[in-house]
């Protein structure tokens, strides 16, 4: 099995899109991520997975906390900014949730403290204990499927 085949297989799993945010010495850093999962209800735990080449890796190791910002359909540009798909510097406004920077008007904001870290192959899994969250009644979620951004609207159109 080659890398392309593995990527294609994983891409068949449709996901939402998040921006992970953290702050180190007053500098806010964000990274687009779809490797995210709820882990446990009691205690409330989630997990993210960060690649070994991402600058976010050392930042989360240092801050020992991160926030997950679940993006809405109208926030595709933010996803592109934090994935490095838009190259020019853009000014993004943040607000605060439990002392962590979070993205304004994200569908959901979740602030976490890192309770465990597991290096697995070329990624590191960070288990986060949820310390606060805020749900917004926003628009539909931004989706990612087969390596492309999509939306509930588009998937509904495809079925009809
Ligand atoms: P950089 O490449 O340094 O930063 C990323 C971009 O964010 C830069 O353009 C930077 O200017 C901008 N940025 C950062 N902070 C700010 C700020 N405060 N204000 C304005 N702009 C800012 N990678 C993973 O490791 N795990 C995943 O689960 C994952 N899922 C992904 C899902 C999708 C849908 C996509 C498109 C990509 C995913 N990636 C994932 C890849 C990852 O988003 C990119 O490799 C990213 O560029 C790595 O970011 P970095 O931390 O190295 O930071």
């Amino acid at each position: 099995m080659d890398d392309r085949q593995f990527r294609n297989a994983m891409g068949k799993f449709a996901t939402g899109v998040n921006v992970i945010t953290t702050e180190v010495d007053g500098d806010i850093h964000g990274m687009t991520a779809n490797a995210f999962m709820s882990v446990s209800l009691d205690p409330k735990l989630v997990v993210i997975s960060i690649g070994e080449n991402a600058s976010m890796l050392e930042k989360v190791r240092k801050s020992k906390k991160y926030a997950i910002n679940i993006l809405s359909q109208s926030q595709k540009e933010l996803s592109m900014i934090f994935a490095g798909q838009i190259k020019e510097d853009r000014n993004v406004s943040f607000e605060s949730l439990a002392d962590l920077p979070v993205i304004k008007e994200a569908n959901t904001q979740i602030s976490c403290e890192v309770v465990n870290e597991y290096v697995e192959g070329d990624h590191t899994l960070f288990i986060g204990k949820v310390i606060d969250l805020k749900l917004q009644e926003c628009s539909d979620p931004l989706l990612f499927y087969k390596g492309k951004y999509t939306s509930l609207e588009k998937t509904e159109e495809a079925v009809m």
Side-chain angles (χ1 to χ4, degrees):
M1 176 210 329
D2 66 14
D3 291 359
R4 187 69 264 162
Q5 197 183 11
F6 182 78
R7 277 169 176 267
N8 289 347
M10 297 304 116
K12 293 267 191 140
F13 187 59
T15 66
V17 181
N18 304 316
V19 171
I20 297 166
T21 44
T22 197
E23 188 167 345
V24 178
D25 302 329
D27 285 333
I28 297 175
H29 187 76
M31 186 193 94
T32 301
N34 63 348
F36 161 71
M37 186 175 81
S38 159
V39 172
S40 156
L41 187 61
D42 183 19
K44 293 180 180 52
L45 302 174
V46 296
V47 65
I48 57 169
S49 174
I50 303 181
E52 64 186 359
N53 296 322
S55 38
M56 183 55 116
L57 182 60
E58 280 316 307
K59 292 181 193 287
V60 172
R61 281 200 174 123
K62 274 195 188 143
S63 67
K64 298 192 180 1
K65 51 189 185 174
Y66 60 83
I68 295 145
N69 302 267
I70 302 178
L71 299 186
S72 61
Q73 195 182 303
S74 60
Q75 293 176 311
K76 178 174 156 189
E77 190 173 294
L78 282 175
S79 173
M80 294 180 76
I81 292 172
F82 290 105
Q85 293 167 325
I86 290 177
K87 303 285 175 207
E88 326 82 78
D89 282 348
R90 298 281 176 92
N91 204 10
V92 178
S93 358
F94 298 91
E95 53 193 20
S96 181
L97 180 73
D99 251 358
L100 272 156
V102 285
I103 291 182
K104 280 187 180 173
E105 288 163 17
N107 246 343
T108 301
Q109 305 160 338
I110 306 167
S111 289
C112 307
E113 277 169 8
V114 173
V115 291
N116 253 313
E117 166 184 340
Y118 302 95
V119 179
E120 297 295 344
D122 55 15
H123 276 61
T124 300
L125 308 180
F126 289 97
I127 308 289
K129 182 177 173 197
V130 176
I131 46 178
D132 204 355
L133 52 76
K134 193 164 147 198
L135 288 99
Q136 320 252 10
E137 289 307 320
C138 289
S139 62
D140 286 344
L142 179 63
L143 302 182
F144 198 69
Y145 178 55
K146 292 210 254 178
K148 290 190 180 133
Y149 294 105
T150 186
S151 63
L152 287 178
E153 242 166 51
K154 280 194 189 147
T155 46
E156 276 159 15
E157 274 167 22
V159 169
M160 284 164 72

